[in-house]
Amino acid sequence: MSEKQVTRRNFLYVTTGAFAAAGAASLAWPFVDQMNPDASVKALASTEIDLRPIIPGQSITVMWRGKPVFIRRRTQAEIDEAKKVNLADLPHPEEDSDRAQNPEWLVMVGICTHLGCVPLGQKGDYNGWFCPCHGSHYDTSGRIRKGPAPTNLEIPDYVFLNESTIKIG
Amino acid sequence: MSDNYVPKSAVGKWFNDRLPLLNLIYGHLLPYPTPKNLNYWWTFGGILTFCLVTQIITGLVLAMHYVADADLAFASVEHIMRDVNYGWLLRYIHSNGASLFFMAVYIHMARSIFYGSYKEPRELIWIIGVFIFLLMIATAFMGYVLPWGQMSFWGATVITNLFSAIPLVGESVTNWLWGGYAVGSPLLTRFFTLHYLMPFLIFALVILHVWALHVPGNNNPEGINVVQGSQDTVPFHPHYVVKDMFALVVFLIVFAGFVFFVPNLLGHTDNYIEANPLQTPEHIVPEWYFLPFYAILRAVPDKLGGVILMVSAIAILAFLPWLDTSKVRSAKYRPLYRQFVWLFFANVILLGYLGAQTADGLFLIIGRIATVYYFAHFIIILPLLGYIEKTKPLPKSLSEPVLSPEERQMKAAASGASA
C-alpha cells in the first residue's frame, strides 16, 4: 500500500473532525442568537395613535419599538414646499407623495439616519428637521438635503384605521 | 539573571519545588537586567499596571451597588454617590482613574513612538500593546454608558449606530447588538457584563506584553542594543523599583488632585441628567480621550467612510513597525524624524481640540487637513524618512555619550589594548 493512499483511518479523522465542527457551530448559535431582539421586545411591534388633538403646524412624538416617531400635521406651505422640490437636487430622491400617504400627515421615524440622534423639528436650512449631533439638514418631507446622513428619515409601516386614527407597525 | 532562586524558608522551598512560581516572579521583578539610562518616560509601564489594578478593585466594589437596568441604573449611581459609605470616593476614583489611565497610556505610547521602541525585535510587544489599547477603548466606552445619563445614552446610540454603516447586514448587526430596535435595557445589561470581563482580558494581555518585553529587554533613550548583564544594565530592583515608585507617587498626587478637588472636570454635566430617548443633547461629545478619533470620524462627509477612517486611525498603529523604515530607533539620532514626531504629536492634540468643537465652518476644514496629515505621517512621511534621512552616528554603548573626551580616549585605548 502506497503512503499517499487514503486509508480508513484518514476517512475517520476527517469525518470525526467534520462532525465535531458542525456540532460546535450549531451549539454556538444559541449563544449568538440570545442577543437578538427577544419575544417581549418583538411583542411591542405596533402602536395606535389618535390624531384628533393635533392641529395643523403641530407635531407629536410617539414611541414605537423604543424609537421616537414624529407625526406632523403639515401646513399647506410646508406641503407646497415639499412638492415643488426638484428630485435631481436630492441625495436620496423620493417624491413627497411616496413619503406621505395623506399629504397633510407626515409620519416618520424620528431618528437621524446618520448615527441615530433625534433631529430637532422646524429647524435647519430647509425648515424641516435638523440633527444637532453632526449637522444633517432635512426638508419638510424629512428628506436629507445637507450633511452626513446617507438617506431620508425612515417612513415606518402605518395604516389609517379611520380618518383620525393610525396604526404604526 | 539568576533563575535559580532558592527560598529561605522550608515552606517556601517545599512550595517552589512543586510549583516554581516564586522563581518566575523573582526573575522578572528583582534581578531583571534593565538599561541603566532609562528616563522618567519609562516609568509609565508601572503606572499603567497600577491604573489597571485600581480600576479592577474600585470597579469590583462599585459592581456590588450598581444595577444594570435602564430603569434603575441612573438611580443606583446616585445611590452610590449619596448613600453608600465612601461611594462618592470609590466612584470618583473609578471615573477619574479611567481618564488618568488614558493619560498614562498616551504618554506610554508617545514614549515608544519617540524612542522607536516598537522596532525590531520589539514589534510584538507593540502589537500586543495596540490590542490592549483597543480593549481599553472598548472598556472605557462601555463603562461610560453604565451611569445611563444623557451622554451615556447618546454616546451609546452614536457609537452602536456606527455598525449600521456596514453594507447589507448593518441593520441586523445593530439590532443584534441592541437586543431590540433602539438602545435600551438589553444593551445596558450586556455592556455591564462585557465591561466587567474586559479588564481581565487586558490583564492577561499585560502579562503577555511584559513577557514579550523581557525576551529582548527594554529599549532605552539611545535606542541601541545593550547586552543583558553588561555594564550597561542594572538590576530592576532596587534601581527601577525605586524610580517607578517615585514616579507613581507624583502621579498619585495628580490623581488625588482630580479626585478630591475637581472630580467632574473631565466629565460632562449632561451625564447628570437621566437618559431620555426622546431628546438628544444639543452637543454630543465623547470623553476627552476619544476626541482625536471622533474628529477623524466627523471629518468625512460620508457615514461608512468616516467609520472606516476612524477604525483605520487606530488599526494603522499595529503596522507602525513596518511603516517606519528607519533602522535607527531613537529620535535622538534622527534629526528629521525628531521634528516630524513632534508635529505628529501636535497634530493629534489639534485633532483632540477639534473633536470637542462643532463640526462646521473653519473647524471642519482644519479637521480635514489634520486628518489627512495624521495618515500622511504613517503612510508617506515615515516610509520615506527611512530612505532620505541622514541619521547621526550611534554610540557604541550607553556610557559613551556621557563620557568626557578624556575618558572616551582612555576607554578606546583600553579596548584597543585588550584587542
Side-chain angles (χ1 to χ4, degrees):
Chain A
M1 187 162 70
S2 85
E3 281 180 32
K4 293 248 168 106
Q5 203 176 348
V6 176
T7 62
R8 191 182 148 80
R9 177 136 309 198
N10 291 136
F11 176 77
L12 286 172
Y13 275 143
V14 172
T15 44
T16 311
F19 270 89
S26 57
L27 199 60
W29 178 243
F31 289 84
V32 174
D33 192 40
Q34 53 84 21
M35 277 174 65
N36 271 318
D38 63 30
S40 71
V41 170
K42 287 180 182 161
L44 302 169
S46 71
T47 310
E48 284 181 28
I49 297 110
D50 179 7
L51 299 177
R52 277 172 299 183
I54 310 169
I55 58 167
Q58 196 181 28
S59 311
I60 63 163
T61 306
V62 296
M63 290 295 273
W64 170 66
R65 287 177 155 190
K67 299 180 191 184
V69 171
F70 296 152
I71 301 175
R72 179 164 181 81
R73 187 165 183 179
R74 295 192 290 185
T75 59
Q76 195 54 47
E78 287 172 343
I79 299 170
D80 295 343
E81 203 179 325
K83 288 206 186 289
K84 73 170 190 231
V85 170
N86 182 1
L87 279 193
D89 295 342
L90 298 173
H92 178 196
E94 270 184 317
E95 289 280 5
D96 185 61
S97 54
D98 294 333
R99 294 181 54 80
Q101 293 176 19
N102 173 342
E104 197 178 8
W105 294 100
L106 183 62
V107 180
M108 54 190 188
V109 176
I111 290 182
C112 180
T113 55
H114 181 227
L115 293 172
C117 298
V118 179
L120 305 169
Q122 287 64 61
K123 288 228 168 105
D125 296 356
Y126 296 88
N127 201 27
W129 282 263
F130 170 70
C131 181
C133 292
H134 304 97
S136 294
H137 298 257
Y138 298 90
D139 66 13
T140 54
S141 183
R143 291 173 296 200
I144 181 66
R145 302 298 291 272
K146 189 173 138 191
T151 56
N152 301 336
L153 289 175
E154 186 192 339
I155 305 292
D157 287 331
Y158 67 93
V159 285
F160 279 86
L161 295 178
N162 55 50
E163 255 178 33
S164 62
T165 314
I166 61 166
K167 183 178 156 200
I168 304 172
Chain B
M1 186 192 330
S2 157
D3 281 336
N4 299 319
Y5 167 67
V6 184
K8 290 192 181 74
S9 71
V11 178
K13 191 172 176 336
W14 179 91
F15 186 87
N16 207 46
D17 285 347
R18 282 152 186 80
L19 180 70
L21 187 67
L22 296 169
N23 235 335
L24 187 77
I25 295 170
Y26 175 86
H28 282 282
L29 286 185
L30 302 177
Y32 167 68
T34 320
K36 64 183 177 184
N37 63 336
L38 299 189
N39 55 32
Y40 275 105
W41 300 115
W42 259 266
T43 59
F44 282 88
I47 287 171
L48 284 163
T49 313
F50 171 84
C51 287
L52 177 60
V53 172
T54 305
Q55 292 305 96
I56 290 177
I57 294 171
T58 50
L60 179 80
V61 292
L62 286 172
M64 293 179 184
H65 305 279
Y66 171 77
V67 186
D69 180 279
D71 294 331
L72 305 170
F74 187 81
S76 79
V77 172
E78 285 309 304
H79 160 74
I80 289 171
M81 293 301 288
R82 294 158 195 233
D83 305 336
V84 175
N85 301 330
Y86 293 104
W88 60 273
L89 178 66
L90 298 165
R91 176 163 174 261
Y92 279 153
I93 292 175
H94 197 72
S95 59
N96 285 285
S99 270
L100 282 143
F101 202 161
F102 273 94
M103 227 175 265
V105 88
Y106 282 133
I107 295 173
H108 190 64
M109 291 162 80
R111 188 270 292 155
S112 187
I113 288 172
F114 188 85
Y115 292 111
S117 299
Y118 48 82
K119 288 186 195 178
E120 193 274 331
R122 297 184 183 81
E123 303 95 324
L124 206 51
I125 309 171
W126 171 260
I127 291 170
I128 293 169
V130 172
F131 278 99
I132 293 175
F133 179 54
L134 272 177
L135 277 179
M136 278 178 65
I137 289 174
T139 310
F141 161 64
M142 289 181 185
Y144 193 59
V145 174
L146 302 185
W148 212 239
Q150 274 289 67
M151 279 293 161
S152 299
F153 183 91
W154 291 100
T157 301
V158 168
I159 300 300
T160 50
N161 261 303
L162 295 179
F163 291 91
S164 70
I166 303 169
L168 301 175
V169 293
E171 203 186 328
S172 321
V173 170
T174 35
N175 285 344
W176 176 74
L177 281 174
W178 291 336
Y181 304 103
V183 170
S185 226
L187 183 84
L188 176 60
T189 314
R190 62 192 59 169
F191 270 18
F192 177 60
T193 314
L194 295 172
H195 181 73
Y196 204 123
L197 166 74
M198 284 184 173
F200 297 98
L201 300 180
I202 294 177
F203 199 87
L205 285 182
V206 167
I207 291 173
L208 295 184
H209 194 62
V210 174
W211 187 5
L213 168 69
H214 285 197
V215 175
N218 290 70
N219 183 31
N220 59 75
E222 306 302 315
I224 58 170
N225 293 325
V226 294
V227 181
Q228 294 203 351
S230 74
Q231 282 200 329
D232 277 345
T233 64
V234 290
F236 187 75
H237 181 76
H239 297 84
Y240 286 108
V241 170
V242 171
K243 190 166 186 160
D244 278 358
M245 283 297 173
F246 178 71
L248 182 61
V249 168
V250 175
F251 179 78
L252 281 176
I253 292 171
V254 177
F255 200 147
F258 276 109
V259 169
F260 292 107
F261 293 99
V262 280
N264 290 306
L265 180 70
L266 300 171
H268 199 294
T269 44
D270 272 359
N271 222 30
Y272 283 104
I273 302 168
E274 190 169 4
N276 177 359
L278 291 179
Q279 197 198 351
T280 308
E282 279 290 309
H283 188 47
I284 297 187
V285 277
E287 289 284 79
W288 69 267
Y289 37 82
F290 294 144
L291 288 174
F293 303 109
Y294 192 59
I296 292 175
L297 169 76
R298 295 193 306 182
V300 190
D302 176 76
K303 182 167 159 181
L304 183 61
V307 176
I308 289 173
L309 219 57
M310 184 179 68
V311 174
S312 310
I314 300 167
I316 202 166
L317 291 170
F319 300 95
L320 184 56
W322 295 277
L323 291 170
D324 185 346
T325 50
S326 176
K327 294 284 174 229
V328 176
R329 295 196 190 99
S330 175
K332 264 183 151 176
Y333 299 97
R334 300 185 59 190
L336 287 178
Y337 177 72
R338 195 182 177 133
Q339 292 167 35
F340 280 112
V341 79
W342 283 112
L343 264 179
F344 173 73
F345 293 154
N347 186 53
V348 172
I349 292 168
L350 173 67
L351 278 170
Y353 169 76
L354 294 169
Q357 310 305 318
T358 47
D360 48 25
L362 190 61
F363 288 129
L364 189 60
I365 296 164
I366 301 172
R368 285 180 181 157
I369 296 168
T371 301
V372 170
Y373 186 77
Y374 179 92
F375 286 98
H377 177 81
F378 287 105
I379 54 184
I380 300 170
I381 296 170
L382 283 185
L384 279 183
L385 275 188
Y387 296 104
I388 61 175
E389 184 177 44
K390 185 156 169 33
T391 56
K392 294 183 188 166
L394 292 173
K396 291 196 177 57
S397 73
L398 296 184
S399 308
E400 201 189 293
V402 292
L403 292 178
S404 65
E406 298 85 56
E407 285 172 316
R408 217 172 286 178
Q409 258 177 355
M410 274 166 60
K411 193 135 196 196
S415 67
S418 68

